[in-house]
Amino acid sequence: SLSYIDHSIRLQTRAINRLREGDPSRTASLLNLAIQINPSDAEHYVQLSTARRRMGNRTGAAQAGRSAVTIGASNLDFNFDSNYNLACDLRELGDNEEAALSFAESVRIGELSAHSFVVSPAKMAAAEVGLGGSLRRLGLLTEAGLALERAINLEPDGAIDAWAELGLVFGEQGDTESAKLCQLQVASRRALH
């Protein structure tokens, strides 16, 4: 019976196993069936987004990601990873404005997460770097610089991407000295890894 809600979870479990086996197309088919049975389960859309991303379908991944985020928010379940993955898909599609909003939501969720689970500093830094890069592409250089500085503070020994993005911000602002200092930070961190 397709009306028995538990079947959607069983299909999702089977789909996740197929994804682990490297079959994202079959995974997407199974998840579409699960969604037909229970369209209000955000996790179905999260997994569908992953399958579509692995198939190279960023537009479809973003569409499923939007559904996951919307359903999660309507259930007051704000998920860092869902928002972050959506932001990454939107960035890849060139939608910097929506990407910036999704990265900003990821950061907000990460900051509030101490009440339920902790988002690692590395994940928070990645969200800040994504936010900073999206803001830079939108021409919001001051705001981009602030996000990138937060990323550097979160991961002071790493943050190669944050330093690289910050160098681009300084370059676009015409501050070549600061841009060069950022390049040195990138080079010294790469030498350590």
Side-chain angles (χ1 to χ4, degrees), residues 8 13 16 25 27 32 41 53-54 66 78 80 90 95 108 122 124 144 161 169:
S8 74
T13 302
I16 290 169
S25 179
T27 298
N32 283 324
D41 188 329
R53 190 175 306 110
R54 290 193 185 165
R66 281 188 180 103
F78 301 99
F80 175 91
L90 293 168
D95 189 345
R108 185 188 75 78
M124 283 295 292
D161 293 338
V169 168

Side-chain angles (χ1 to χ4, degrees), residues 20 22 33 37 67-68 90 95 99-100 102 108 126 170 192-193:
R20 287 184 187 133
L33 287 172
I37 296 169
S67 295
L90 293 168
D95 189 345
S102 291
R108 185 188 75 78
F170 285 130
L192 295 174
H193 294 298

Side-chain angles (χ1 to χ4, degrees), residues 128-152 162 165-166 168-170 172-173:
E128 292 282 14
V129 170
L131 176 59
S134 297
L135 292 171
R136 180 185 60 77
R137 289 179 195 86
L138 291 169
L140 301 169
L141 301 178
T142 301
E143 294 83 354
L146 293 172
L148 295 165
E149 288 174 8
R150 288 191 301 268
I152 291 166
E165 271 294 338
L166 188 57
L168 293 173
V169 168
F170 285 130
E172 290 182 23
Q173 289 174 329

Side-chain angles (χ1 to χ4, degrees), residues 48-88:
L48 181 60
S49 176
T50 301
R52 289 177 173 172
R53 190 175 306 110
R54 290 193 185 165
M55 292 168 52
N57 180 359
R58 285 285 181 168
T59 301
Q63 180 184 27
R66 281 188 180 103
S67 295
V69 166
T70 300
I71 291 168
S74 71
N75 294 326
L76 300 178
D77 179 19
F78 301 99
N79 186 295
F80 175 91
D81 290 328
S82 294
N83 282 277
Y84 178 79
N85 290 331
L86 173 59
C88 291

Side-chain angles (χ1 to χ4, degrees), residues 97-164:
E97 188 171 323
E98 288 297 316
L101 291 172
S102 291
F103 279 125
E105 181 64 5
S106 298
V107 169
R108 185 188 75 78
I109 292 167
E111 289 171 347
L112 297 174
S113 70
H115 301 294
S116 55
F117 68 95
V118 177
V119 175
S120 72
K123 283 186 171 186
M124 283 295 292
E128 292 282 14
V129 170
L131 176 59
S134 297
L135 292 171
R136 180 185 60 77
R137 289 179 195 86
L138 291 169
L140 301 169
L141 301 178
T142 301
E143 294 83 354
L146 293 172
L148 295 165
E149 288 174 8
R150 288 191 301 268
I152 291 166
N153 289 332
L154 285 164
E155 290 279 304
D157 295 331
I160 292 172
D161 293 338
W163 282 109

